[in-house]
Amino acid sequence: MASDSLVKHISNYRVSSVLNRDVTSLGKQNLFDGNVETCWNSEQGTPQHILVEFAQPVYLRELHVQFQGGFAGSKTRLIDVDCKRDICPLFFEDNNALQTAKLPAAKQNVARRRIKLQFVSSTDFYGRIIVYSLDFRGSVAGEDTANGETARLKLAEGGETAEPHVTESKGTADSQPTGDGKHDADDDSPAPVIVII
């Protein structure tokens, strides 16, 4: 399956905070501008987050993110906002390199519309996060094909379970345990999930 940039399909996005409310220099617009000279810089305190809404459901396969070393998200949750469930935990290295976090294969076949990247902790003592570049990679639901046919969607009952992830930085891979085993972002009620059949 092809993994194209999904940035052009983003209809809305928000961040938890901006350092000193300097939205002109350090605001959310710098996340997707393609310029490594600009960045989003959060205020201090944890957790911080980036919430992204796509114009239509997408199959998310991986994330590309570049932090400022010393201000990286050390423990991160990827959350499906619509069904209020964790997709998977992410663990990034504390460096300036462009890092790739691949979703587990089972999580790549779920169409999602709103995604939250929640930085539970930071490598910065004060909890600040600095992101120079962010890209979501995957395909748009309905445009994705399997065996030459357009993939069909089916509404499935129940939620998902968190699984280990793979994070790559400069060609290395590292798998981390899921942690406390919790799967819900906000509540314990099961929610419908869209899956490919």
Side-chain angles (χ1 to χ4, degrees), residues 43-114:
E43 258 312 341
Q44 64 184 18
T46 54
Q48 298 291 336
H49 71 262
I50 300 168
L51 177 73
V52 176
E53 183 175 345
F54 296 96
Q56 54 197 33
V58 299
Y59 300 116
L60 183 61
R61 297 201 172 81
E62 59 188 42
L63 284 79
H64 296 191
V65 63
Q66 183 176 7
F67 294 100
Q68 168 67 49
F71 298 89
S74 55
K75 181 180 178 187
T76 305
R77 296 170 62 201
L78 187 61
I79 301 168
D80 185 323
V81 177
D82 293 320
C83 67
K84 299 180 181 177
R85 298 213 178 255
D86 282 9
I87 299 168
C88 63
L90 304 172
F91 299 86
F92 295 104
E93 295 180 20
D94 184 16
N95 61 38
N96 299 333
L98 182 63
Q99 300 180 55
T100 298
K102 294 183 180 181
L103 273 67
K107 306 296 182 172
Q108 295 179 16
N109 295 328
V110 179
R112 307 175 194 283
R113 192 136 183 266
R114 293 190 304 158

